[in-house]
Amino acid sequence: MDKPQIILHSQKSVNYTVFDVKWIPTSAKFISLGNHARGTGALDIFEITHGDIAVVSQYEKPSAFKCGTFGASPTREKRHLATGNFDGYIQVWDLEKIESPIYSVKGHKEIINAIDAVGGLGIGQGAPEIATASRDGSVHIWDTRQAHAAVASMEPAEGETKRDCWAVCFGNAFSSSERVVCAGYDNGDVCCLEFDRKDIEMNKLVATTLESKIHVFDMRTQHQEKGFASVVEKAHNSTVWIGRHLPQNRDVFMTCGGSGSYYLWKYNYPEKRTMTETDKTEVGVAGTLTLLQNIGLSSQPASAFDWSLDKTGLACTSAFDQTVRVLITTKLNSI
Amino acid sequence: MPGEYERNLLNMQHQIRENNAYLDDYLNDLNSWTDEMKKKEENSLKVADATAMNRDLPPVRNFVAPPRPKKKSKTKSEEAKPNEIKSAAPKIRAYDYRAWDKYDVDTECERIDTSGKNRSNDDEEDADDDDEEYQQELLKKKAEHYKDQGNYQFKQKSYGEAIEYYTKAIECDPTSPIYFANRAQCQLFEQRYGACDADCTLAIQLDQNYLKAYYRRSLARIELGKLEQAKEDLEYVLSREPTNIDAKTKLNEVIKKDEIKRLGRVYPLPNKPVDKQSTKPLKRIDIQEIDTSIISSRETTKKKSVVIEEIETMETSTPSEPVPQRSAPQPSISTPAPSTSQSEEIPPKLIIIPTSVPTTGYQFKRDWSNLNNQLEQQSIYFNKIPPTSYKTIFSTGIDSSVFSRILVFWSSKTDIDEHLINSMLELRKTPRFNTQLSFLGNDDKQHLKTILDRLQANSSFASDKIQTIVRDYKTDADQI
């Protein structure tokens, strides 16, 4: 009974499909991005007040939003939200002047499935960069200083079939020039990818897939043939849509499933993280996962989940039942 | 067992209460936290702009060529084609059997054939001059990109890398003076002063008004020792920008350095303790050659030191007045002209004529030089020497200055005596006498003539001796 408890703090119904929710850095507010029935994009700002969620402002944009991130915001005070929408546009919005984006480019030919950013918010070093993954099979990296073209792109070669790219994440951003981008495609059924920390040398990677599987890779040791060591868990009895690490403790993460369930996990490191094989090569050793707590909140899949950077245990989440929820997880300090 | 059951129940109740309490705490905490965050947010929004833009971000990662600006007349046709082709044939997936059923091979082939032709036509139409302009633009943008990279490296103090980037920028666009000037600055830090000078010169060639380049070049030139040229550069900068403080200070430095170079380091004497030393600036005074005759033999071993000290009282006589050279022997001459020095007094010394008659050439030479061109003393000394020892004393031959001096003595003697005749006779026996004779200057020849005339005029002595003398001392002057 001294396990962490996941408690629903408050919830709010909205009249559009919510695809993404994100906390606004340095505040008690969060934004939700979604798609109205009429095909326009919804951008709402909510605030937690004593025991309830209050709507601060609502905006409607011409095109539906699929994903967003604050990761490329230059400082914690100046909040720039980078979004990807259904038409393949990448846009950066300044929350103080939401009327028009400060950066907009048609980066992809098809819907942008996932977006991630690094280098902003005062975390890590180097220039802020945004990565987008799209159904057109390509991953592009953007720098807001270069308007017309991506800084880098990863595309399938000419003639190869293009697989939908479903997930993308940054990692290994410990210096101003070093970055690693990880992309997951539909032929691997990868729904979500996340490194435990973006701004350190890559340590662990969580990959959530269809068929209720959660993979955790130990990224410190790469073997030539065997690759990275990993541990697999089955949970949720449905597609695991999201996996998110707790910012304050990188060994704890939450996964959200297609059944509307939330599972809180802890990764335990093995005694030795590497092992020398008979042919003198190093191979990684995966640890174990322990389920700390779980809760079922809705009947519809969870579309988004975000931990707050400012308050341990506070999280916002959204589901396809057109609700946004705020969760509290207790006793995380004693894990 | 009831005990255990009850215990478990109690435990659970306890836990639940604990959890609830915990939750309440958390919620209260949360509420206060939200209030705090609101305040923080308001504050931060006010402060936001100040620090935001000061971060030194690395430049954009890769250089991507900007999209090619197509000429208007061609855009429509060019745009039309790709769209056509695209809409005509979206890729049919392998598993899409229905679409494959409807697929008509023949029409596809036709379409491909025709579109291929059109596309090739378009390519030909693409004018080459369009290409060139675009290429130029591209290179310029690339150069700027490299410059940004270089600037970032410069800020990180990796000057070597910065130089490489600037070099790449120059390769892309050699017409911009900025890249050269930036590279020059890096080379200053890397202490490659020659390269810096060259780069600055190039920058100036590209833009004569680029003052930064002049300034950096002057810095390089100072280090290379080209002080004059550095001065020129600095003066140019100051003429264009009189308010430039850096240039002013550097110019003063250069002037100082230059002076030191030319004049040598100058310090006041450390005789007095520091607090008693005068703080007046040092004044430069020209060095005076004073008559060396006043310095006796004992004094000559002392080195002549250039002593420049502060002027305490008078600055009366002008420095340009030379001390009279051949003053009458004044053994008690004390200080020289007051303008030179008041510190070191030359004490009055008697010029001593050596009493011992020289027996060797060395002794003679030493004594002669000690007499320091004082005619009286020298003639007295010389007359002491018995003529018979001339041969030994002048065993290596007479010095021409000695010989001319001897002639002076003899010509100044108004009367002829035995001694004179004997000395003349003996002197001609010294080795290389004839050569000395032929090398006589005009004055000396005059003297000689007077002597010989006097001899001939005087008939009281043995005429044959006189004859020999006259014969041997014959010079061309007689014939003039």
Side-chain angles (χ1 to χ4, degrees):
Chain A
M1 277 301 218
D2 45 352
K3 290 198 293 184
Q5 304 284 319
I6 309 174
I7 296 153
L8 175 66
H9 173 262
S10 49
Q11 66 181 42
K12 193 157 192 77
S13 268
V14 290
N15 58 354
Y16 54 86
T17 320
V18 187
F19 283 109
D20 205 356
V21 282
K22 283 285 185 313
W23 286 102
I24 300 179
T26 342
S27 73
K29 299 189 205 146
F30 61 94
I31 57 137
S32 69
L33 295 168
N35 180 7
H36 281 124
R38 47 189 176 271
T40 56
L43 200 164
D44 285 3
I45 304 180
F46 297 97
E47 187 169 20
I48 323 175
T49 52
H50 298 234
D52 201 13
I53 303 175
V55 177
V56 172
S57 46
Q58 295 181 307
Y59 300 98
E60 194 169 331
K61 297 292 171 190
S63 180
F65 291 113
K66 179 68 173 59
C67 48
T69 176
F70 278 104
S73 184
T75 61
R76 298 196 77 174
E77 288 77 33
K78 233 180 184 350
R79 296 79 163 267
H80 290 181
L81 174 69
T83 58
N85 68 11
F86 276 54
D87 297 329
Y89 276 83
I90 298 161
Q91 295 167 312
V92 179
W93 309 84
D94 182 350
L95 288 187
E96 307 303 315
K97 298 171 208 137
I98 267 191
E99 309 79 42
S100 62
I102 53 179
Y103 180 82
S104 174
V105 67
K106 184 165 169 57
H108 292 273
K109 299 181 195 108
E110 300 191 51
I111 178 178
I112 295 176
N113 279 323
I115 193 169
D116 194 16
V118 73
L121 296 178
I123 300 171
Q125 300 184 16
E129 285 171 332
I130 304 164
T132 53
S134 163
R135 193 193 287 167
D136 64 4
S138 55
V139 173
H140 292 312
I141 316 287
W142 308 89
D143 188 321
T144 50
R145 295 172 292 180
Q146 188 164 271
H148 51 83
V151 164
S153 29
M154 287 127 245
E155 290 172 338
E158 284 288 320
E160 276 184 23
T161 44
K162 296 190 186 217
R163 309 298 322 202
D164 287 4
C165 188
W166 282 357
V168 76
C169 68
F170 270 115
N172 213 33
F174 57 84
S175 82
S176 58
S177 52
E178 183 70 31
R179 301 272 159 82
V180 151
V181 172
C182 189
Y185 295 83
D186 72 322
N187 57 353
D189 299 337
V190 177
C191 296
C192 177
L193 286 170
E194 205 196 37
F195 281 99
D196 56 353
R197 283 277 181 281
K198 288 182 205 168
D199 53 338
I200 57 168
E201 199 188 331
M202 47 188 191
N203 191 32
K204 290 202 313 299
L205 176 69
V206 155
T208 64
T209 66
L210 307 176
E211 319 227 333
S212 340
K213 290 217 187 84
I214 304 165
H215 302 250
V216 182
F217 294 90
D218 185 326
M219 304 301 278
R220 280 289 159 90
T221 329
Q222 183 175 15
H223 190 260
Q224 282 204 350
E225 290 141 35
K226 299 185 187 172
F228 295 102
S230 72
V231 61
V232 184
E233 276 288 333
K234 259 196 158 185
H236 297 276
N237 278 330
S238 56
T239 308
V240 185
W241 286 103
I242 300 157
R244 289 268 180 264
H245 288 94
L246 183 66
Q248 292 84 2
N249 182 348
R250 63 185 183 184
D251 300 325
V252 170
F253 61 95
M254 180 80 86
T255 54
C256 320
S259 54
S261 50
Y262 295 81
Y263 280 51
L264 186 68
W265 301 90
K266 179 164 163 42
Y267 180 80
N268 308 301
Y269 289 99
E271 277 201 6
K272 269 201 214 162
R273 284 179 76 172
T274 60
M275 211 168 60
T276 6
E277 295 258 282
T278 44
D279 56 350
K280 309 264 178 85
T281 51
E282 294 258 312
V283 76
V285 177
T288 54
L289 283 174
T290 42
L291 176 65
L292 293 174
Q293 189 57 270
N294 69 326
I295 187 173
L297 284 174
S298 81
S299 52
Q300 297 293 323
S303 53
F305 187 90
D306 191 37
W307 293 105
S308 167
L309 284 165
D310 307 296
K311 186 99 182 103
T312 314
L314 188 64
C316 61
T317 180
S318 64
F320 283 128
D321 56 0
Q322 296 194 340
T323 45
V324 289
R325 295 183 174 86
V326 173
L327 305 180
I328 301 171
T329 312
T330 59
K331 298 194 193 154
L332 283 171
N333 298 328
S334 53
I335 292 177
Chain B
M1 291 181 3
E4 201 168 316
Y5 174 75
E6 271 164 33
R7 247 180 279 135
N8 282 344
L9 201 62
L10 279 172
N11 269 345
M12 244 172 68
Q13 276 181 3
H14 179 72
Q15 286 282 357
I16 292 170
R17 247 178 258 136
E18 213 184 284
N19 283 348
N20 283 342
Y22 195 98
L23 192 62
D24 284 335
D25 280 339
Y26 192 93
L27 284 174
N28 286 336
D29 188 36
L30 189 65
N31 289 337
S32 52
W33 174 80
T34 50
D35 295 332
E36 223 183 279
M37 289 312 288
K38 271 190 209 157
K39 276 184 216 154
K40 246 195 191 176
E41 216 186 326
E42 278 170 27
N43 287 342
S44 64
L45 282 174
K46 292 171 199 164
V47 193
D49 291 308
T51 49
M53 292 311 152
N54 290 345
R55 278 179 63 189
D56 267 337
L57 297 177
V60 177
R61 194 171 284 268
N62 289 326
F63 175 72
V64 177
R68 199 154 164 182
K70 293 180 186 162
K71 282 197 177 168
K72 274 188 184 171
S73 54
K74 295 183 187 145
T75 42
K76 288 177 192 165
S77 58
E78 278 180 337
E79 273 179 13
K81 293 288 163 162
N83 284 344
E84 256 184 53
I85 299 170
K86 226 188 175 180
S87 54
K91 203 165 174 191
I92 305 175
R93 304 251 160 166
Y95 44 82
D96 197 353
Y97 298 122
R98 295 247 172 82
W100 281 113
D101 285 340
K102 295 176 198 159
Y103 193 70
D104 186 4
V105 184
D106 296 327
T107 46
E108 265 303 302
C109 291
E110 255 187 63
R111 192 183 56 73
I112 290 172
D113 287 338
T114 48
S115 71
K117 279 188 209 150
N118 289 343
R119 214 183 300 145
S120 58
N121 287 344
D122 274 338
D123 286 338
E124 278 172 32
E125 279 172 28
D126 261 319
D128 280 337
D129 47 334
D130 206 11
D131 224 18
E132 248 187 61
E133 245 184 65
Y134 175 68
Q135 289 298 331
Q136 284 292 331
E137 275 294 310
L138 194 61
L139 280 174
K140 284 218 164 104
K141 293 232 167 96
K142 233 184 171 176
E144 277 299 307
H145 176 74
Y146 282 128
K147 186 193 81 159
D148 287 334
Q149 299 271 17
N151 287 351
Y152 181 69
Q153 291 299 330
F154 184 87
K155 282 184 200 148
Q156 308 290 329
K157 306 212 183 211
S158 354
Y159 299 121
E161 301 239 1
I163 289 177
E164 274 183 41
Y165 278 119
Y166 289 135
T167 314
K168 283 193 198 153
I170 289 168
E171 275 169 38
C172 289
D173 179 9
T175 61
S176 168
I178 300 176
Y179 311 145
F180 288 108
N182 285 0
R183 195 167 71 171
Q185 181 71 320
C186 294
Q187 272 151 351
L188 267 180
F189 283 120
E190 295 263 297
Q191 298 177 340
R192 291 193 220 150
Y193 299 117
C196 175
D197 195 346
D199 271 342
C200 287
T201 313
L202 286 166
I204 289 167
Q205 280 175 5
L206 290 169
D207 177 7
Q208 295 200 343
N209 299 325
Y210 199 4
L211 291 184
K212 264 195 202 167
Y214 284 103
Y215 181 69
R216 284 173 192 163
R217 193 165 69 168
S218 69
L219 295 176
R221 283 176 169 176
I222 292 173
E223 299 296 330
L224 288 171
K226 299 183 190 169
L227 295 175
E228 272 304 312
Q229 299 177 337
K231 235 206 271 186
E232 276 173 31
D233 277 340
L234 286 167
E235 278 162 4
Y236 182 75
V237 172
L238 281 172
S239 68
R240 298 292 299 275
E241 205 183 286
T243 56
N244 192 332
I245 306 171
D246 291 325
K248 266 194 211 151
T249 39
K250 271 291 161 181
L251 188 59
N252 288 337
E253 261 183 55
V254 171
I255 292 174
K256 234 184 172 184
K257 271 197 182 171
D258 209 14
E259 258 193 49
I260 289 172
K261 213 178 158 187
R262 280 190 284 125
L263 307 174
R265 294 230 162 232
V266 174
Y267 299 110
L269 279 182
N271 285 344
K272 297 181 185 165
V274 184
D275 51 342
K276 286 196 186 156
Q277 275 179 10
S278 165
T279 49
K280 285 192 199 162
L282 302 182
K283 186 183 188 231
R284 181 167 189 268
I285 308 161
D286 292 328
I287 298 170
Q288 294 302 305
E289 284 281 346
I290 52 173
D291 195 352
T292 52
S293 59
I294 35 179
I295 303 170
S296 81
S297 55
R298 282 197 223 127
E299 287 293 337
T300 49
T301 48
K302 232 194 225 173
K303 277 200 190 145
K304 233 192 223 173
S305 57
V306 177
V307 172
I308 303 174
E309 223 207 30
E310 56 185 78
I311 304 296
E312 275 177 304
T313 50
M314 52 180 177
E315 295 179 11
T316 48
S317 60
T318 62
S320 54
E321 200 182 355
V323 177
Q325 283 285 349
R326 307 237 178 120
S327 54
Q330 294 161 30
S332 58
I333 290 178
S334 52
T335 56
S339 60
T340 46
S341 166
Q342 288 186 358
S343 60
E344 203 179 321
E345 275 197 29
I346 299 172
K349 286 272 167 144
L350 290 170
I351 310 295
I352 301 165
I353 303 163
T355 47
S356 55
V357 176
T359 47
T360 64
Y362 173 73
Q363 285 173 350
F364 175 78
K365 276 206 180 99
R366 185 197 60 204
D367 297 338
W368 190 261
S369 55
N370 282 346
L371 292 175
N372 270 327
N373 282 337
Q374 284 302 304
L375 207 60
E376 271 293 353
Q377 277 89 336
Q378 279 173 339
S379 67
I380 296 168
Y381 172 73
F382 187 71
N383 289 331
K384 280 203 210 145
I385 305 170
T388 44
S389 57
Y390 283 167
K391 234 203 261 182
T392 45
I393 290 171
F394 299 117
S395 54
T396 52
I398 314 173
D399 211 14
S400 53
S401 58
V402 176
F403 190 32
S404 50
R405 198 42 74 83
I406 293 167
L407 286 172
V408 171
F409 301 153
W410 290 341
S411 64
S412 59
K413 272 195 180 164
T414 45
D415 49 339
I416 314 286
D417 56 354
E418 265 296 335
H419 180 82
L420 175 66
I421 294 180
N422 283 339
S423 19
M424 286 188 90
L425 279 169
E426 291 304 315
L427 199 66
R428 42 177 256 285
K429 289 178 192 164
T430 56
R432 286 188 288 283
F433 173 77
N434 285 323
T435 40
Q436 279 297 341
L437 204 61
S438 54
F439 283 141
L440 281 178
N442 279 337
D443 299 346
D444 300 314
K445 283 182 186 162
Q446 282 297 336
H447 289 311
L448 188 57
K449 196 158 185 298
T450 39
I451 297 164
L452 292 174
D453 289 345
R454 221 180 279 143
L455 272 175
Q456 282 175 321
N458 195 315
S459 52
S460 54
F461 285 91
S463 53
D464 53 341
K465 279 189 186 172
I466 291 171
Q467 286 305 316
T468 36
I469 288 169
V470 169
R471 188 194 64 218
D472 285 345
Y473 279 78
K474 211 173 202 170
T475 60
D476 295 332
D478 291 347
Q479 276 127 25
I480 297 168

